[in-house]
Amino acid sequence: MPQTLRVEIVEVQGNCPVYRGGESFYIEAGYRLKAPEPVCLHGIVSILPYYVALARGIPARDLGLAGPDGAAYVQCLDPHALTGGGTVTFRLTTEAAP
């Protein structure tokens, strides 16, 4: 069974209307989104190509996503410097469900 992914917002560049940093949400069992606050669809699109592999235990380094701590990092698609919006960096790790 797939593990639970914790998705943390670690950095916001520009002005994101959804995230401020420090929030997190979960993807359980490889398909259930559990979030206490609103979730941005632009951010989810950035996570979609990787969440199943990560939840099934494929290491972030094998996907080319590993940061210095070994966690997977992706960022949303908003080019904030051009749009005036916000670019968000997400940190994805596996853990027990909250």
Side-chain angles (χ1 to χ4, degrees):
M1 178 166 194
Q3 298 178 31
T4 294
L5 283 183
R6 179 176 187 211
V7 181
E8 293 176 76
I9 291 72
V10 294
E11 181 181 32
V12 178
Q13 297 176 2
N15 301 302
C16 176
V18 179
Y19 301 118
R20 298 290 165 249
E23 301 103 323
S24 61
F25 57 90
Y26 297 85
I27 301 172
E28 295 177 341
Y31 66 92
R32 283 192 309 253
L33 180 64
K34 301 287 256 183
E37 300 291 330
V39 175
C40 177
L41 290 179
H42 295 156
I44 290 294
V45 168
S46 303
I47 295 165
L48 287 178
Y50 311 109
Y51 80 97
V52 171
L54 292 166
R56 292 191 179 271
I58 307 273
R61 72 178 173 284
D62 291 355
L63 299 171
L65 302 175
D69 62 356
Y73 288 85
V74 298
Q75 70 183 61
C76 80
L77 304 173
D78 187 336
H80 73 93
L82 300 172
T83 65
T87 300
V88 177
T89 302
F90 300 96
R91 179 178 186 263
L92 291 79
T93 55
T94 55
E95 64 176 46

